Amino acid sequence: MIHFFRKHAVFTWALSVLLSFVILIGFMVIGDSDGISILSYCVTNLMLCFFLYAVSGKKTFERCGSQMGYVLKNGWPMLIFPFIFFAAGIVGAFTNGARLNTDWPIRLGTCIILMMLAGISEELGYRAVACDSLLPKLRHTRHPFLYTAVISGLVFGVSHVILGGLDGWLSVVLGILKICTTAVFGASMMILYWKTRNVLAIGILHGLYDLLPMVYDYLFMTETVAETAGYTGGDMGSLVIYLIQLAVDVFVLRYIYRKVGTTINYQQVLENW
């Protein structure tokens, strides 16, 4: 079986993405609690680790203990946009006299675990398994790294909006912008992955990206915990936020390419991958 998955690596990646959806949707049917979500991501991560091993063996896993500091040191600009939401939420909470949840330590701990598992899951599926599957297959093309980043980034973006409904032109535009912002974000992560091949480090960075905007809802008393799945729903305010996010993400991608991407020996990486 391992031989089949390794020989048909692109199919293996596509299968891993499909099964990720099946697992997450299956657990959503069971319930929508944080505990169920944590369990679903644990199962998803185990499945993705199997497929990662199937396509590239131990190579990626052996790099998970290296260059953690390098990834966080050079990837910190990716946290600018979510930090704005984090700061706005905390300032707004104190300004409006919001009350802390009595069990906020448990809630915050749960949020941290959930977001870290989600971040690692997406980096496993859309960076590690994607790159380890696509790059060897594209090594004889003119721009293998560019094609790998574009293909994985677009799949990553579409996966965020595929379950959302499209209702009118604004919903379509929001969906397109979400795909673009997610693809640009993914390209920055892919550069860090090419440099370090440390999927754990970029997964933690991704987890922090997802965590910061969620802190307010877990710390303070609110009517509902903010939903993150309705990416195609919103108003003109959402459109403005997406446009700002896209501008910030492009700036960050340019920064990471200049800081990290220009230091990569792409030919050597391609030969040794």
Side-chain angles (χ1 to χ4, degrees):
M1 181 180 293
I2 295 292
H3 176 73
F4 173 84
F5 286 139
R6 190 161 299 172
K7 183 179 179 180
H8 304 281
V10 177
F11 166 79
T12 301
W13 174 48
L15 179 62
S16 72
V17 172
L18 176 61
L19 289 179
S20 295
F21 273 100
V22 171
I23 293 170
L24 293 176
I25 293 174
F27 275 93
M28 287 172 58
V29 173
I30 298 174
D32 60 355
S33 67
D34 289 335
I36 294 294
S37 296
I38 288 174
L39 181 59
S40 70
Y41 279 118
C42 286
V43 174
T44 301
N45 287 347
L46 287 174
M47 180 270 295
L48 290 171
C49 283
F50 167 77
F51 283 119
L52 180 58
Y53 178 80
V55 298
S56 55
K58 298 185 294 182
K59 290 181 179 179
T60 300
F61 295 104
E62 291 173 344
R63 298 294 298 273
C64 286
S66 65
Q67 295 184 285
M68 181 76 71
Y70 180 90
V71 170
L72 298 177
K73 176 183 176 181
N74 292 283
W76 70 265
M78 302 184 72
L79 302 179
I80 292 175
F81 189 76
F83 182 79
I84 293 173
F85 279 87
F86 167 78
I90 297 300
V91 171
F94 285 104
T95 302
N96 298 323
R99 292 182 297 168
L100 281 169
N101 286 302
T102 55
D103 58 346
W104 69 264
I106 296 175
R107 287 174 174 266
L108 183 59
T110 300
C111 181
I112 292 172
I113 294 172
L114 178 58
M115 293 300 104
M116 289 300 153
L117 287 173
I120 292 171
S121 175
E122 293 192 337
E123 293 309 311
L124 279 169
Y126 297 104
R127 244 64 66 191
V129 180
C131 184
D132 290 11
S133 299
L134 293 172
L135 197 56
K137 297 296 183 182
L138 297 171
R139 68 169 66 248
H140 298 299
T141 63
R142 188 174 182 180
H143 303 290
F145 290 92
L146 176 62
Y147 296 151
T148 297
V150 170
I151 293 171
S152 61
L154 289 177
V155 173
F156 182 44
V158 171
S159 70
H160 280 72
V161 302
I162 194 170
L163 296 180
L166 297 177
D167 184 20
W169 70 269
L170 182 58
S171 180
V172 173
V173 172
L174 291 176
I176 293 172
L177 285 175
K178 181 61 184 178
I179 292 173
C180 291
T181 57
T182 307
V184 173
F185 171 88
S188 296
M189 285 294 193
M190 190 66 87
I191 292 173
L192 290 169
Y193 183 64
W194 292 333
K195 178 67 176 181
T196 66
R197 205 169 182 173
N198 189 338
V199 66
L200 178 61
I202 62 173
I204 291 173
L205 182 62
H206 192 145
L208 290 172
Y209 183 94
D210 292 339
L211 171 66
L212 288 172
M214 300 292 293
V215 169
Y216 172 83
D217 293 290
Y218 282 82
L219 281 180
F220 298 96
M221 292 184 179
T222 56
E223 292 184 2
T224 57
V225 175
E227 293 289 338
T228 59
Y231 296 117
T232 58
D235 51 19
M236 292 302 294
S238 300
L239 179 62
V240 172
I241 291 175
Y242 274 155
L243 289 172
I244 294 173
Q245 182 180 6
L246 181 59
V248 173
D249 286 346
V250 169
F251 168 80
V252 171
L253 174 59
R254 182 173 180 270
Y255 171 87
I256 290 180
Y257 176 75
R258 293 179 63 183
K259 191 77 173 178
V260 178
T262 56
T263 69
I264 299 174
N265 186 332
Y266 290 97
Q267 187 59 40
Q268 185 179 47
V269 169
L270 200 60
E271 292 173 355
N272 299 330
W273 199 269

